[in-house]
Amino acid sequence: MRRWLGVTASAALVAAAVSGCGTPAGTDGDLTDDWRPVAEARQFTPQAGECHVVAEPTAYLTSHQPVDCAKAHLVETFHIGTFTGDLAARPVPPRVGSAAMRSAFAECDAKAKEYVGGEWRDARLSVQVAPTSPAGWTGGSRWYRCDLFELDPVSGANGDNDRPVNRAGSLRGVLKAATPLRYGCAEEDDWSNLLAVPCTKFHRFEYVGVWTAPDVSYDDATKDEDAVHAKCRPVIARYAKVPVDGMLRYRTGSTYRFPSEQAWARGDRGVRCWYWSSGKKLTRSIAGGGTKVLPIN
């Protein structure tokens, strides 16, 4: 009974207070017409030209903290693409590394060549696609980031991993001029890693170009070494300007580096090819040297 009386008394006090106050001066008594309308929700969209210290290929708003590209960073966004068609109709964004992301990677691949001024695989560079987060997708976002990053001179350059390394400075137009990022002449260390050396120094290896592997599993692509060497020999021939004929295998040795498994999963099918002198050390480049530089042995 005590509880019921307390509620009744409170209600009476409130009623008395309201009835005694009236409408305050300067108001119209309508408590709803003075509220500002809630602004329309704005979707978060990153911008091309931003650099990031967070390298994960999923673009969450909470981790979007772009920095000046002149300062230390891990990845650089060079293009913003849009999922369309059946991909855009999915209830969730395509999973990173899935076959559904291949078309996005193909666009990023082409845009990366434009951005750096050449074939980005000719240098210690890699490309990834970062789709909008699941929450952003639910809110209507259908964009994806195309990111570019520098690879480690040893483990990254030899296809062992695909982790970005810290760098300062934009990669825009980096291949339009001489750069230490570009592959060139190399020598092998005790662990079969190719290490860059000036072409005027003794060396047995030289980067010659890239060919595109078929869209198969990583295991299937890498299991037939003879077939990979056979694909690299014409690349060497074009680079050195020698005939692509039955004698080519007697002019040159070859080695190659596949993309890392992480890069392969993203869609990178570029196999980097290297000339190998089969033991004789050179002190010049074989580029354009013809049969004088690559005689039949």
Side-chain angles (χ1 to χ4, degrees):
M1 189 66 179
R2 187 177 302 165
R3 183 179 180 185
W4 177 259
L5 287 174
V7 172
T8 304
S10 297
L13 288 173
V14 171
V18 170
S19 63
C21 288
T23 301
T27 66
D28 58 7
D30 190 336
L31 298 180
T32 62
D33 65 350
D34 293 324
W35 288 91
R36 292 182 179 179
V38 177
E40 183 180 353
R42 297 178 60 186
Q43 294 298 328
F44 155 67
T45 305
Q47 301 296 315
E50 294 177 338
C51 288
H52 309 273
V53 296
V54 177
E56 281 72 18
T58 302
Y60 285 87
L61 174 59
T62 53
S63 62
H64 182 72
Q65 300 173 0
V67 298
D68 186 338
C69 290
K71 298 179 179 180
H73 61 271
L74 291 174
V75 300
E76 180 174 353
T77 298
F78 61 90
H79 176 69
I80 304 297
T82 304
F83 290 110
T84 59
D86 291 341
L87 284 177
R90 296 165 61 102
V92 294
R95 180 175 54 83
V96 173
S98 67
M101 291 285 281
R102 298 290 186 269
S103 60
F105 182 86
E107 181 174 338
C108 291
D109 179 3
K111 293 294 183 180
K113 294 171 185 174
E114 296 176 8
Y115 192 75
V116 301
E119 170 58 81
W120 56 268
R121 295 175 182 85
D122 290 346
R124 288 188 290 105
L125 300 174
S126 194
V127 169
Q128 70 179 14
V129 184
T132 185
S133 67
W137 189 274
T138 300
S141 294
R142 293 297 182 268
W143 52 260
Y144 56 85
R145 273 179 14 205
C146 295
D147 291 344
L148 188 67
F149 55 91
E150 179 180 339
L151 295 170
D152 180 81
V154 181
S155 58
N158 285 277
D160 298 324
N161 68 52
D162 199 55
R163 292 191 295 270
V165 296
N166 263 307
R167 64 167 285 114
S170 173
L171 291 166
R172 184 189 295 273
V174 69
L175 296 187
K176 292 182 179 180
T179 170
L181 291 175
R182 188 185 292 276
Y183 293 116
C185 296
E187 192 46 66
E188 201 173 37
D189 67 9
D190 293 338
W191 294 272
S192 299
N193 292 310
L194 295 178
L195 307 180
V197 299
C199 288
T200 54
K201 301 290 186 181
F202 283 119
H203 64 274
R204 292 173 296 162
F205 299 88
E206 184 171 354
Y207 176 76
V208 295
V210 65
W211 65 275
T212 303
D215 190 15
V216 296
S217 72
Y218 189 80
D219 289 341
D220 286 343
T222 58
K223 68 182 179 182
D224 191 345
E225 294 185 5
D226 289 341
V228 179
H229 284 293
K231 288 287 189 179
C232 279
R233 281 194 288 270
V235 182
I236 297 171
R238 289 191 293 271
Y239 182 80
K241 294 189 173 7
V242 298
V244 180
D245 56 21
M247 303 304 292
L248 180 58
R249 66 172 56 245
Y250 304 107
R251 294 186 185 278
T252 181
S254 61
T255 190
Y256 57 85
R257 295 292 184 269
F258 265 78
S260 69
E261 290 194 57
Q262 305 101 299
W264 188 271
R266 292 199 301 267
D268 186 5
R269 299 293 181 266
V271 181
R272 294 173 168 99
C273 297
W274 299 74
Y275 158 77
W276 175 45
S277 69
S278 303
K280 177 184 176 182
K281 291 192 175 183
L282 304 178
T283 55
R284 60 155 293 174
S285 170
I286 67 168
T291 56
K292 182 180 179 180
V293 174
L294 295 185
I296 295 173
N297 294 314

